[in-house]
Amino acid sequence: MNLAKWKKTGMSLLAGALMAGGLLLPAADSHADPNATIRVALYADIGSKYKSTVPFVTLSSTVGFSLMSGSTPLLPIPANNRIRISLDGYKVKVMDSPTWQAAAEAAKKLQSTSDKPMLFVASRNGATVYQLYTGPYTSESAAREGLNRVSKAGLSLAEGQTPALAGSKHLSAGSFATLEEADAVVSTITAAGFDAWKTLTSGPAGSAQVEVWVGEAASDSDLAALRTAVTAALPQLAVSAGATTTPGMMIRTDAGLDWSSESQAFHYQVSGTGAKFMASGNSAGIQIAERSKRIYRGNLELSGLAGSLAVINEVPLEQYLYAVVGGEVSSGWPEEALKAQAVAARSYALSQGNRFDVANVVDTTLSQVYNGIGAEAPVITKSVDATAGEVLMSGSKIVEAVFSSNSGGVTADPSEVWGNGGTTFVSVASAEDSAAAAASKKWYYLLLDSGVSGYAREDNIQLTGSRTASGLVIATASTKDVNIRPLPVVESGASPLGKLNPGENAVVLDQFYENGSYSWVKGPYTSAELLKNLSGKVSSSLPSSISSLQVSQRGPSGRVTQVKANGEILQVKYPDLFRSAFGGLPSTLFDIVPAGSYTVLGADGSTSTVDSSRSAGVLSASGKVTANGSGTVVMGADASSRVVTTSPGFYFIGWGNGHGLGMSQWGVKGMADKGYDYKQILQHYFNNVTIVKE
């Protein structure tokens, strides 16, 4: 059995087209445009293709930026000011409160529910009013369900107040030349008991203007009733229903930035049919607090999609690559490895077209890891610039240059992953993947005198120089109380199986590298755990209990393409789904080892099963012997050994991390360490390609 190898930290575990179905799409016909921009979906609901949503985003920058409508500047945002953006959709107005504390206490009760609170502050007749909402919701029906939950949440509301449905239909009280004029109208309307807000819109000839919008009706009938009430109370005010379709950014004041103490920020709600606004880019980038406080170059497009806020980063392609290469691999890797990653990432990005409808790519491993400016480094910028415009071509098309973290010594054939990919992708040797294990510690798989078996790291173990009668090495501890771990890795949540002290002997059954991107051991997984993971991921019927699990078919690289449970094939849509079907395995290049049983092949060709409750007669080289149950040590043809335990379930022992198709990132690093240049590296991993620069 090969040694398991090293753990890659701080980088993506896999990359490439892991969308539903995971299929490779036809590449674009055009070559790279060095002036191209790319649209990256950060938040959006694109149905089955991608879904990542939040109620709002909090934006800030160390340099001022502007909110725009097309080419029209609507409002400058000063440096170091936080603002919030949300979609003006269906919501539940929970309460009006004269104090922040009362509203915040109600919000805290709602925080743990699916009805997320938002708190605004307004002025009415000179008094401050705190307005608590939940939402926004994607539809009226979803909002009504939210209203029902909020009504039953046990909140302390003032007498006469009940939660109510609110929507995005507003009356317009006209447009005004200045914010001050609009403020005066808002004060008149709120003094009469109605909600009103200043709203930024794009005026004629590309100018910015301010409108006053009134109310937040959820239906046309509610809006008509609102108009009747406003006209009766304020006959001098001319109101219309034009705001129901006009794109605008409603100006509100957010008082819910921190539920422990009051702090405020301007909050802009994207409203109106087809509304689309933009936070314009600047030299420092714009931070999105909800996206792990990442800072992004380029512009942030703000709109509504499928009832949720959509945030799309439109950024120059080459600047996008500064962050992608930094997010995918370490800046400490050789320059030729960084160049190879840059060309592959550029090719992948340009091959996508409008795969995500409103965007070319997303910022996760569903496309490529994109973590913004924080992932950049001077050496990466240099490598991207050195390859500017270069792409991989096959014929007249840009190659969808998929890659993964580590192929485990051999890349995948398309038939082992998604079943397609053409002649560009073939299985090739990738011995340099072992670069991931260069600094890794080995772990000994030990059998203690007590019958406990597990793993201990090499720096805590000393070989005695003695062997068992069967030739297995005997070891002892080199320090006191050496923990025997269930897997070859230190996990804070996993208790040691036992301890070994100096002078106490243990038998070395095998050696592994620490669990990482090159090799790994997972498990043992019980029948119940396996069935839970398999549910919904296989099209075949599942047994009530799994007593046997075995790899029954492999592809050209050795990756698993078929597995049988209790002798029946587990049907999956495509082979790479076995990773998720078995609870998130790093790759499909694995063996399955029963924890509590072994099937032994005798010298006469017969097989017998040994487990914790059964022994078997086996014909060995020295004659017929009896293999006992628990504690039996079984040695394989490669001299590695396992022990039958009383634990039920199955271990997965594997190599590599990711789908394995195309370029192996750790293999690239290993090849660059050996002196290969980036073009040689790329042409090793991608078949019959040319590198083109325009």
Side-chain angles (χ1 to χ4, degrees):
M1 186 177 296
N2 293 334
L3 291 173
K5 293 104 181 169
W6 191 61
K7 184 176 184 179
K8 172 183 172 187
T9 58
M11 305 169 199
S12 76
L13 297 181
L14 56 104
L18 293 181
M19 59 184 292
L23 301 179
L24 298 171
L25 296 185
D29 289 326
S30 61
H31 294 184
D33 177 1
N35 299 313
T37 60
I38 190 167
R39 291 172 58 82
V40 188
L42 306 179
Y43 289 110
D45 182 353
I46 316 175
S48 62
K49 293 184 178 181
Y50 179 74
K51 184 173 183 178
S52 177
T53 60
V54 286
F56 49 75
V57 290
T58 307
L59 309 180
S60 63
S61 177
T62 57
V63 174
F65 62 97
S66 295
L67 293 179
M68 311 278 291
S69 175
S71 59
T72 302
L74 295 180
L75 189 72
I77 306 300
N80 300 311
N81 274 30
R82 287 188 295 177
I83 65 168
R84 274 190 170 167
I85 308 288
S86 66
L87 182 65
D88 176 31
Y90 292 102
K91 45 199 170 286
V92 173
K93 188 173 184 182
V94 180
M95 64 186 296
D96 282 352
S97 171
T99 68
W100 180 87
Q101 191 63 42
E105 287 301 319
K108 289 175 185 177
K109 287 185 178 180
L110 294 168
Q111 265 191 307
S112 60
T113 71
S114 59
D115 303 288
K116 301 306 178 187
M118 289 191 294
L119 182 60
F120 299 107
V121 60
S123 178
R124 185 172 294 162
N125 288 324
T128 298
V129 178
Y130 295 92
Q131 300 178 315
L132 181 63
Y133 292 79
T134 60
Y137 301 92
T138 57
S139 65
E140 182 178 354
S141 60
R144 291 194 181 279
E145 291 172 3
L147 174 61
N148 186 51
R149 289 190 297 269
V150 170
S151 300
K152 297 177 180 178
L155 304 178
S156 297
L157 303 178
E159 186 176 351
Q161 287 198 42
T162 57
L165 187 67
S168 58
K169 295 180 180 293
H170 314 284
L171 298 173
S172 174
S175 60
F176 302 88
T178 66
L179 289 170
E180 289 74 18
E181 290 178 4
D183 272 327
V185 175
V186 168
S187 296
T188 298
I189 296 171
T190 56
F194 303 99
D195 289 324
W197 307 272
K198 299 186 297 293
T199 302
L200 301 171
T201 64
S202 181
S207 63
Q209 67 181 22
V210 184
E211 294 189 15
V212 172
W213 287 3
V214 185
E216 43 193 352
S219 66
D220 289 337
S221 59
D222 288 345
L223 187 67
L226 173 66
R227 185 174 185 177
T228 299
V230 171
T231 301
L234 300 166
Q236 75 279 18
L237 195 67
V239 294
S240 71
T244 58
T245 57
T246 302
M249 295 197 82
M250 299 169 60
I251 305 174
R252 306 187 74 160
T253 301
D254 198 304
L257 275 72
D258 182 350
W259 297 116
S260 60
S261 61
E262 183 178 358
S263 58
Q264 296 182 2
F266 281 111
H267 189 130
Y268 303 95
Q269 292 190 299
V270 175
S271 184
T273 303
K276 187 178 293 184
F277 298 93
M278 184 178 294
S280 63
N282 58 30
S283 58
I286 301 173
Q287 182 190 84
I288 303 180
E290 290 71 24
R291 211 65 170 168
S292 302
K293 297 185 177 180
R294 292 171 185 152
I295 301 172
Y296 297 94
R297 296 180 182 272
N299 302 321
L300 298 176
E301 182 184 279
L302 310 161
S303 65
L305 183 65
S308 298
L309 178 68
V311 182
I312 310 295
N313 184 201
E314 189 172 82
V315 60
L317 174 64
E318 298 300 311
Q319 294 182 11
Y320 162 77
L321 294 173
Y322 296 161
V324 166
V325 175
E328 287 287 353
V329 297
S330 168
S331 61
W333 282 13
E335 185 174 354
E336 295 304 304
L338 301 180
K339 289 179 181 178
Q341 182 66 59
V343 175
R346 184 182 295 110
S347 303
Y348 179 86
L350 287 172
S351 73
Q352 298 306 289
N354 291 320
R355 168 169 274 178
F356 294 94
D357 301 338
V358 295
N360 309 113
V361 294
V362 298
D363 67 337
T364 69
T365 55
L366 199 58
S367 294
Q368 303 181 112
V369 173
Y370 173 60
N371 292 337
I373 290 176
E376 297 178 11
V379 66
I380 290 174
T381 300
K382 177 184 175 184
S383 297
V384 172
D385 290 346
T387 64
E390 292 187 9
V391 292
L392 291 167
M393 300 288 294
S394 178
S396 62
K397 293 184 177 180
I398 298 176
V399 173
E400 187 180 21
V402 297
F403 47 86
S404 61
S405 172
N406 196 307
S407 70
V410 58
T411 67
D413 183 84
S415 64
E416 301 170 312
V417 186
W418 304 305
N420 69 329
T423 59
T424 302
F425 302 94
V426 295
S427 178
V428 298
S430 186
E432 291 79 11
D433 286 328
S434 61
S440 180
K441 294 287 187 183
K442 291 194 291 289
W443 288 65
Y444 290 109
Y445 177 47
L446 303 173
L447 175 62
L448 277 57
D449 287 344
S450 63
V452 168
S453 61
Y455 300 84
R457 207 168 62 190
E458 62 176 341
D459 52 352
N460 294 319
I461 296 298
Q462 179 180 331
L463 303 182
T464 65
S466 301
R467 293 178 179 269
T468 66
S470 59
L472 296 175
V473 173
I474 296 176
T476 189
S478 59
T479 187
K480 186 178 179 182
D481 290 332
V482 174
N483 287 321
I484 306 301
R485 303 282 180 180
L487 295 173
V489 64
V490 177
E491 295 179 315
S492 58
S495 300
L497 302 175
K499 293 183 181 294
L500 185 68
N501 282 291
E504 298 174 349
N505 288 343
V507 176
V508 178
L509 301 176
D510 207 344
Q511 295 181 59
F512 294 81
Y513 281 109
E514 185 164 286
N515 269 7
S517 69
Y518 187 45
S519 67
W520 41 271
V521 181
K522 302 289 185 181
Y525 297 116
T526 65
S527 170
E529 290 170 330
L530 290 170
L531 289 170
K532 181 179 179 181
N533 289 327
L534 289 166
S535 179
K537 298 185 180 72
V538 298
S539 56
S540 51
S541 59
L542 292 171
S544 58
S545 178
I546 296 177
S547 58
S548 69
L549 192 68
Q550 64 187 96
V551 175
S552 49
Q553 183 176 288
R554 297 182 184 272
S557 76
R559 282 170 170 78
V560 173
T561 57
Q562 187 184 91
V563 176
K564 290 183 178 180
N566 299 353
E568 297 296 324
I569 296 173
L570 296 173
Q571 299 284 356
V572 293
K573 187 175 181 180
Y574 50 88
D576 196 60
L577 273 180
F578 279 122
R579 287 197 287 155
S580 61
F582 288 122
L585 297 181
S587 81
T588 57
L589 189 59
F590 60 77
D591 296 328
I592 301 174
V593 177
S597 67
Y598 276 87
T599 299
V600 181
L601 176 64
D604 61 353
S606 64
T607 59
S608 298
T609 298
V610 181
D611 60 27
S612 58
S613 61
R614 289 180 291 175
S615 59
V618 179
L619 184 62
S620 70
S622 60
K624 190 167 185 177
V625 297
T626 298
N628 297 315
S630 180
T632 297
V633 175
V634 181
M635 182 180 291
D638 60 356
S640 64
S641 303
R642 303 292 296 175
V643 62
V644 179
T645 71
T646 57
S647 301
F650 302 86
Y651 285 98
F652 291 80
I653 301 176
W655 299 265
N657 203 316
H659 51 71
L661 191 66
M663 190 178 78
S664 173
Q665 291 169 312
W666 272 105
V668 168
K669 196 267 184 189
M671 290 185 71
D673 285 339
K674 290 183 176 181
Y676 291 94
D677 68 34
Y678 75 100
K679 293 184 178 181
Q680 292 172 312
I681 293 170
L682 289 167
Q683 288 173 331
H684 170 73
Y685 283 108
F686 298 101
N687 187 45
N688 295 326
V689 297
T690 56
I691 299 173
V692 174
K693 179 174 182 176
E694 286 200 340

